[in-house]
Amino acid sequence: GKWHQGVNCDSFNDHCHHPLNHGFDYFYGMPFTLLNNCQENKPPELDVALQAKLWLYSQMITLAVLTLIAGRLTGLISIRWKIIACFTLVGGLFFISWYSSYGFVQYWNCILMRNHEVTEQPMRLERTASLMLKEAVSFIKRNRHGPFLLFVSFLHVHTPLFTTAKFTGKSNHGLYGDNVEEMDWMVGKILDSLDKEGLKNHTFTYFASDHGGHLEAQDESGQLGGWNGIYKGGKGMGGWEGGIRVPGVFRWPGVLPAGIVIDEPTSLMDIYPTVVHLAGGILPQDRVIDGQNLMPLLQGRAQKSEHEFLFHYCGSYLHAVRWHQKDSGAIWKAHYVTPVFHPPGAGACYGKGICPCFGEGVTHHDPPLLFDLSRDPSEAKLLSADTEPLFDTVIKQIGRAVEEHRRTLTPVPEQLSLYNLMWKPWLQPCCGTFPFCWCDKEGD
């Protein structure tokens, strides 16, 4: 499925970021992310505001060049043709440099790969779901006689909400509901495959989401990014519950008791230590591992999550900290930074696409905002020293945890720097001779 970590570092085939260079033995899916640009007749969503500025600058340069040419031809302006040619050349290079990044996104970004080979460029969304489902089922069949780890990262419930004809209009909740129903069907098919191969009682299955609903994803038909119920905020917000609280659904007949609901804070970071434990491995001892083994909690051998503190980041910026107070059962949340909602009180950053993590689009809080999630999961009742006797104690305890946490962090190069975000032709995966990159090997 969706990898979204990129592919290359220094050349078009070094594949330094590829799944096969990060522990996986087989890969089929999309190395980048799904964008509106991947579907025909959808408004572009990649750096829309920046694209608008660049297009305006290109028009201004074109107008300036045409004015110089007209002035030179009519004799109103005394300027050498060489200077006009230089202006034209610079303007042309400027246009080509940015349009090559944004004008061909469907060809550059919307691709499918099998291992190191590009199989579709651009991808055909109308059959992507069936191809990925076929690959997942095939993987289970090939590996049914030995231990395996299958990680399926669906493109579903991510805009654009491309849904096959079989599920279009099936839900009472519009296109988003149709997309959810198709994903649900795909999950069922994968579970059916486990059952068919006799692996049901031997397979630990974990279904979860990477974040809450994308509130800002809307069009004239309504909500395209899900909804978060009583929880404030959504996708891309590093602190509010609506952005980070997601359900986890587990299945392992005979090992995990059925029908149990566990209301304890866990993390997707727990997948790693849990899988290492089940595989009989040993966690690395040379670094801090933030995750915890989930098996004691899932099997009922432990009643409390091992997470005392969870640190919630927006990008590389710490926005909030959750303290699971073991002795009292209270779950405190302190917000150091919150996004500025637009319009005020809206609960999201409508008009921006997604809330920013820093700069003028956020508010810093000193002292931090404090909520008791055990009594107020929707974070509606702001606590203060006047309303909460433990306010100062809790803020100090969380502050000490933040200091200790930051001492464990090692600085790394900025992966989202402007240079790293720029499209680089020499790194472009291409099936064909660059820049003529298109193929359909799935249709063979």
Side-chain angles (χ1 to χ4, degrees):
K2 185 174 72 169
W3 175 242
H4 202 173
Q5 305 296 316
V7 180
N8 300 313
C9 286
D10 300 311
S11 67
F12 75 95
N13 61 357
D14 64 30
H15 294 166
C16 69
H17 298 306
H18 193 281
L20 269 59
N21 272 356
H22 292 274
F24 289 93
D25 302 305
Y26 181 81
F27 170 65
Y28 181 81
M30 194 177 190
F32 309 121
T33 191
L34 191 62
L35 297 162
N36 276 353
N37 307 67
C38 297
Q39 187 174 354
E40 300 290 348
N41 304 317
K42 288 283 185 181
E45 63 174 313
L46 191 65
D47 298 331
V48 176
L50 177 60
Q51 283 191 67
K53 287 183 180 179
L54 294 172
W55 184 244
L56 176 63
Y57 297 154
S58 298
Q59 291 175 313
M60 291 170 64
I61 293 172
T62 302
L63 182 62
V65 169
L66 291 175
T67 301
L68 291 174
I69 293 173
R72 178 69 171 81
L73 291 174
T74 58
L76 294 176
I77 301 175
S78 178
I79 188 171
R80 297 172 63 185
W81 284 112
K82 284 186 178 180
I83 296 177
I84 295 176
C86 287
F87 268 111
T88 305
L89 179 62
V90 171
L93 290 174
F94 172 75
F95 176 77
I96 292 171
S97 66
W98 74 261
Y99 192 78
S100 59
S101 297
Y102 296 110
F104 304 100
V105 171
Q106 188 174 13
Y107 280 91
W108 298 151
N109 281 27
C110 307
I111 65 176
L112 285 179
M113 296 182 76
R114 178 180 285 104
N115 293 326
H116 293 299
E117 181 186 21
V118 178
T119 60
E120 276 190 21
Q121 192 169 14
M123 62 196 289
R124 290 172 54 184
L125 275 176
E126 66 271 14
R127 66 183 185 188
T128 302
S130 61
L131 287 174
M132 289 188 177
L133 179 58
K134 185 176 78 172
E135 288 283 342
V137 171
S138 174
F139 181 88
I140 292 171
K141 288 181 179 178
R142 291 199 307 272
N143 294 278
R144 65 186 181 275
H145 296 302
F148 64 81
L149 171 69
L150 171 62
F151 173 42
V152 183
S153 183
F154 294 99
L155 297 182
H156 280 60
V157 299
H158 188 295
T159 52
L161 295 170
F162 192 88
T163 308
T164 57
K166 180 180 176 181
F167 287 91
T168 301
K170 187 176 181 181
S171 165
N172 293 326
H173 300 281
L175 186 57
Y176 186 85
D178 296 342
N179 213 243
V180 171
E181 293 219 13
E182 184 165 35
M183 180 180 68
D184 178 62
W185 174 79
M186 293 173 70
V187 172
K189 285 295 183 181
I190 293 172
L191 295 179
D192 289 346
S193 178
L194 291 172
D195 298 351
K196 182 180 178 182
E197 300 298 337
L199 300 173
K200 180 177 181 178
N201 294 344
H202 304 283
T203 306
F204 175 69
T205 306
Y206 181 15
F207 176 86
S209 176
D210 53 348
H211 52 69
H214 186 188
L215 301 182
E216 292 89 355
Q218 297 179 328
D219 67 7
E220 62 278 357
S221 66
Q223 187 71 17
L224 298 177
W227 199 248
N228 299 313
I230 67 169
Y231 304 114
K232 188 181 295 184
K235 174 184 177 179
M237 301 183 206
W240 295 118
E241 289 291 280
I244 57 182
R245 183 187 286 238
V246 296
V249 185
F250 297 83
R251 187 186 84 153
W252 193 355
V255 178
L256 303 182
I260 301 299
V261 177
I262 299 173
D263 187 18
E264 286 287 301
T266 63
S267 167
L268 291 182
M269 294 185 292
D270 298 334
I271 294 173
Y272 174 57
T274 303
V275 169
V276 169
H277 167 78
L278 294 174
I282 300 174
L283 289 171
Q285 302 298 307
D286 61 342
R287 69 201 72 178
V288 174
I289 301 296
D290 295 301
Q292 302 288 341
N293 175 20
L294 287 172
M295 290 308 293
L297 192 64
L298 296 176
Q299 291 183 295
R301 291 183 282 115
Q303 301 304 312
K304 296 291 182 182
S305 169
E306 288 294 318
H307 290 287
E308 183 176 8
F309 293 96
L310 283 170
F311 304 91
H312 302 301
Y313 281 80
C314 184
S316 58
Y317 300 89
L318 181 66
H319 274 209
V321 180
R322 179 189 313 255
W323 179 25
H324 186 213
Q325 197 171 353
K326 298 291 181 68
D327 51 358
S328 70
I331 303 177
W332 307 96
K333 171 88 82 66
H335 290 262
Y336 292 92
V337 182
T338 57
V340 178
F341 291 147
H342 179 79
C349 300
Y350 296 109
K352 289 191 175 182
I354 201 164
C355 284
C357 295
F358 62 95
E360 295 180 356
V362 302
T363 302
H364 294 261
H365 303 282
D366 186 16
L369 309 181
L370 184 67
F371 301 92
D372 181 357
L373 298 183
S374 57
R375 293 180 293 175
D376 177 29
S378 61
E379 299 174 286
K381 301 172 184 175
L382 181 62
L383 303 177
S384 67
D386 296 329
T387 60
E388 175 53 62
L390 295 175
F391 181 87
D392 291 331
T393 302
V394 171
I395 292 298
K396 287 178 182 176
Q397 185 70 17
I398 292 176
R400 283 193 289 268
V402 170
E403 291 176 8
E404 185 177 337
H405 163 68
R406 283 184 166 146
R407 282 196 292 269
T408 70
L409 301 179
T410 303
V412 296
E414 174 57 63
Q415 295 180 358
L416 298 178
S417 65
L418 181 61
Y419 176 76
N420 284 335
L421 288 174
M422 287 172 56
W423 178 68
K424 303 175 183 66
W426 58 92
L427 300 184
Q428 177 64 50
C430 180
C431 63
T433 302
F434 185 84
F436 305 105
C437 302
W438 56 77
C439 65
D440 180 9
K441 297 178 182 179
E442 297 295 347
D444 296 342

